[in-house]
Amino acid sequence: MKYMKLGTKPDTFYTEEAVRSVLSDVPTDIIIHINSTKYLLHKFPLLLKCGLLQRLCSDAEDDSDQPIPIALHDVPGGEEAFELCAKFCYGITINLSAHNFAQAVSAARFLRMTESVAKGNVIAKLESFFQSCVLRGWKDPIATLQSVGKLSGWLDNPRIVQPCMDVIIEKILADPSKVTWSFTYTRPGYTKKDRRSVPKDWWTEDVSELELDLFRSIISTVRVTKKLPPALIGEALHVYACKHLPDPMEGQGVAQSSTVRTGETLAKGKRVLESIVSMIPSEPGSVSVGFLLRLLKVANYVGASPSTKAELVRRSGRQLDEATASDLLIPLPSNPQEYDVGAVEAVLENFLVQLRRPMPPEESRRMLGSMARVANIFDSYLQVIAQDTDFPVSKFCDLAGSLPEMARQEHDGLYRAIDTYLEEHPDLSKAERKRLCRMINCQKLSPAARSHAIENDRLPLRTIVHLLFVEQERVGSAGRNQGAPPVRSSNEVSAARVAQDDSRRLRQGSEEGLQHRGEPVQGGGRIKSVEMLRMGRSTSESRMTRKDKERAVEKGEGSGSKIRLNQ
């Protein structure tokens, strides 16, 4: 950071009862009012260098010996900028840098401290410092623009803003190997001492400190040149968003404590968000899907326009296969503990739209791979949603069924999600549990998942029976493939299944009879039945006559080699 020192005298300004004065034996003959501050000063040093004060004092000249009052409430930079100019007139030492240059030069121009008023005036010195020092560095132009952003009407000061922006853009477009100036880069894993590896996004952190309109102007100019890849523009937007957008989860606490502050935060956040979305390059992959979904969360929180949300949903859908389950957890603006399922459904629908258009074989294979990844992500998301005890079963079924059947190559993730839902919702009816489990394709479960499901008491009995049949067929098929005799013939399996149904009906009838007579029913009937099925035995089968068995076999052969239970 460059500095310039002007003047040699010590500082003699002091404050007494909210009035700023200069330590002097000469009586005060001019009073300057700036906002709530009153300056008791002298005409002699001020009028020598300030053309504006010369005119104002000549207009107010009279025969009175009283100090002349002058109001300068609209001086750029306020009291601090005026005091720098006043001290220069008194010869008092002042230190100038990029942090206060804009305020000082704006106030000096307002006071008309030009060379035509006095040789060696402050404006000429400030402009020389600006050209030879401020515009030569990297952080100085940025610091100058930061200070300009605090001035009212700063856009009307092109003599400061445009030169600084030109320098910044020129350095951004420079080859990273030629970057020799200091810059801020606090990313993990980067050491500034290693000058041989300047990162391509070295400039993003410093530029993110600028006011939104300045930042947008710089990014727009850089994009027009097409000298930087879209991903680098996207990284700059990501850094700016992290620094200036609110966190939806943290914002709720602020909302409860300060409604006014939150309103201001939301308005600013909405403006920043919509500007960032409008600047995202159109090229796919210029920003990550995690960043897009984070913007969607913020859009919900700040109340962004429907068009902004729709654009984020569309872009997120195109890259959904790169997301994680946590990316899809979008809080509702009304309650951060609940999630916006509708937004996730919209993102998924935008992903599925890609599958409906005609595509060459190579792209079709790629999309099938993307579909499988999306299915895994979505099933992990369902496991989180399933933990919500207030989430309705019908909505959960609709959500789980929103993926086409071809998307899930295996059903382990779906099974875990449904099992979690059953665990968190123990009061579900038998019909609701059946509806959930009907979505699981037992043929697509891995052996480990199938083994777990067979032992799972939360699943309906019909589902467990079906799983046992699938497992039995798998073992039999594996044995035949290895040249071993089959475990059981198709006729035996058919007979066993009929016998199992008879056993279940007999057992249920006996239990109802006992309950009707008021006698206790022994517990564990279901587990015992499942164990007997698993061993290929049943009470009914042992009591069947030879004729009954033959009839069951004939029935099985007449309807095919297998009898499937409708889940």
Side-chain angles (χ1 to χ4, degrees), residues 36-112:
S36 59
T37 304
K38 181 166 65 174
Y39 287 89
L40 303 182
L41 304 175
H42 305 87
K43 288 191 292 184
F44 175 69
L46 293 177
L47 268 57
L48 286 178
K49 298 183 183 297
C50 298
L52 177 63
L53 293 180
Q54 289 179 9
R55 182 178 64 78
L56 294 176
C57 286
S58 62
D59 294 342
E61 199 71 57
D62 55 20
D63 298 334
S64 174
D65 294 335
Q66 296 298 319
I68 299 174
I70 296 176
L72 298 177
H73 298 303
D74 51 352
V75 60
E79 298 92 319
E80 293 181 6
F82 170 77
E83 195 163 313
L84 284 173
C85 295
K87 287 179 178 180
F88 174 81
C89 295
Y90 278 94
I92 296 173
T93 302
I94 58 174
N95 292 308
L96 296 166
S97 68
H99 291 294
N100 61 4
F101 163 78
Q103 285 81 357
V105 73
S106 298
R109 287 171 180 162
F110 177 82
L111 295 171
R112 300 177 190 172

Side-chain angles (χ1 to χ4, degrees), residues 253-488:
V254 178
Q256 295 174 2
S257 60
S258 176
T259 305
V260 176
R261 180 183 174 186
T262 302
E264 295 174 354
T265 302
L266 295 181
K268 179 182 177 183
K270 180 180 178 182
R271 178 170 172 262
V272 172
L273 173 74
E274 294 181 348
S275 295
I276 289 176
V277 173
S278 68
M279 288 187 281
I280 296 176
S282 58
E283 293 81 358
S286 56
V287 294
S288 68
V289 69
F291 176 55
L292 290 170
L293 290 170
R294 179 178 180 270
L295 292 181
L296 188 56
K297 296 175 186 179
V298 178
N300 257 11
Y301 174 62
V302 301
S305 65
S307 60
T308 299
K309 291 183 180 180
E311 177 66 11
L312 289 171
V313 166
R314 185 184 67 83
R315 287 178 173 270
S316 300
R318 291 166 58 184
Q319 301 173 231
L320 184 56
D321 59 319
E322 303 169 9
T324 63
S326 60
D327 292 333
L328 297 176
L329 299 177
I330 303 173
L332 284 170
S334 57
N335 185 1
Q337 304 305 318
E338 297 181 3
Y339 298 117
D340 188 348
V341 177
V344 176
E345 288 180 307
V347 172
L348 178 62
E349 176 60 26
N350 274 267
F351 172 78
L352 296 177
V353 165
Q354 301 176 85
L355 299 176
R356 303 189 186 112
R357 58 181 174 82
M359 61 185 73
E362 290 186 3
E363 187 177 355
S364 179
R365 286 192 293 270
R366 183 186 65 80
M367 284 304 301
L368 287 176
S370 298
M371 174 70 78
R373 289 192 294 273
V374 168
N376 291 332
I377 296 164
F378 202 68
D379 287 344
S380 298
Y381 169 73
L382 287 174
Q383 291 179 50
V384 180
I385 296 299
Q387 298 174 26
D388 183 359
T389 56
D390 297 325
F391 200 79
V393 64
S394 58
K395 185 65 176 175
F396 186 83
C397 289
D398 292 342
L399 193 62
S402 56
L403 275 175
E405 178 64 25
M406 60 175 287
R408 292 186 173 97
Q409 304 300 318
E410 50 85 18
H411 275 216
D412 286 16
L414 179 61
Y415 164 67
R416 286 191 293 269
I418 290 176
D419 186 38
T420 302
Y421 192 91
L422 292 173
E423 183 178 8
E424 297 295 332
H425 301 76
D427 298 329
L428 289 178
S429 67
K430 184 177 180 180
E432 289 172 333
R433 288 190 294 119
K434 284 184 177 180
R435 181 183 177 187
L436 279 170
C437 294
R438 196 178 296 125
M439 305 181 69
I440 302 172
N441 187 337
C442 298
Q443 301 283 356
K444 290 187 176 182
L445 289 178
S446 66
R450 199 155 46 235
S451 176
H452 181 277
I454 289 172
E455 303 292 336
N456 192 342
D457 290 338
R458 288 186 287 271
L459 301 185
L461 181 59
R462 295 177 70 87
T463 302
I464 294 180
V465 170
H466 192 187
L467 287 163
L468 283 169
F469 291 159
V470 171
E471 181 67 15
Q472 203 170 44
E473 290 172 359
R474 184 188 67 83
V475 173
S477 175
R480 286 191 294 273
N481 291 338
Q482 294 175 2
V487 178
R488 304 176 76 179

Side-chain angles (χ1 to χ4, degrees), residues 229-240 279-281 286-288 291:
L232 194 51
I233 302 296
E235 179 62 18
L237 298 177
H238 180 242
V239 174
Y240 196 88
M279 288 187 281
I280 296 176
S286 56
V287 294
S288 68
F291 176 55

Side-chain angles (χ1 to χ4, degrees), residues 76-77 81 97-110 123 126-131 134-135 140-168 210 214 218:
S97 68
H99 291 294
N100 61 4
F101 163 78
Q103 285 81 357
V105 73
S106 298
R109 287 171 180 162
F110 177 82
I123 289 180
L126 289 173
E127 289 180 345
S128 175
F129 171 67
F130 183 59
Q131 294 292 333
V134 173
L135 296 181
D140 294 83
I142 291 176
T144 301
L145 288 180
Q146 282 182 278
S147 63
V148 167
K150 299 175 183 178
L151 297 173
S152 59
W154 57 269
L155 285 173
D156 299 328
N157 204 337
R159 286 184 289 181
I160 300 176
V161 174
Q162 196 58 50
C164 287
M165 289 182 60
D166 291 342
V167 169
I168 292 171
L210 295 175
L214 291 170
I218 289 173

